Amino acid sequence: MAQGQKTNRKLIPQAAQAMEQFKWETAGELGVQIPQGGYMGDLPSRVNGAIGGNMVKKMIAAYEQSLAQGQQPATPQVTNQNPTP
């Protein structure tokens, strides 16, 4: 692995299980057949990208909805603590 690259880690570790469930729900909404065992590495990148892209769309929509309702959701600090040189 190249220097500066990290494995995929959750910024909020307590949300890991909920994010995993969110991924499966989004995949199901898109009609993606979840492989037995949950390993999605054999799926084309286009399919996995569609799942991730739709997850982002849904998260942005939820944030915008809360703003439209006059709520100011908490925004965690997620800036990279170790910027690459």
Side-chain angles (χ1 to χ4, degrees):
M1 188 176 303
Q3 183 179 8
Q5 292 181 342
K6 307 260 186 223
T7 58
N8 187 7
R9 291 187 226 160
K10 302 292 182 269
L11 296 172
I12 312 295
Q14 298 84 351
Q17 186 175 6
M19 290 300 291
E20 193 70 15
Q21 180 63 32
F22 183 42
K23 176 173 65 176
W24 301 130
E25 289 172 9
T26 304
E29 291 171 5
L30 294 173
V32 175
Q33 188 70 18
I34 309 293
Q36 185 137 9
Y39 177 70
M40 297 177 70
D42 291 334
L43 295 176
S45 18
R46 181 178 186 141
V47 172
N48 284 318
I51 294 168
N54 277 280
M55 288 174 67
V56 170
K57 285 180 188 179
K58 290 169 74 173
M59 287 185 276
I60 291 171
Y63 190 86
E64 288 175 345
Q65 181 67 33
S66 64
L67 290 175
Q69 293 174 347
Q71 301 170 357
Q72 181 63 32
T75 305
Q77 180 66 32
V78 294
T79 305
N80 187 358
Q81 299 298 322
N82 299 318
T84 53

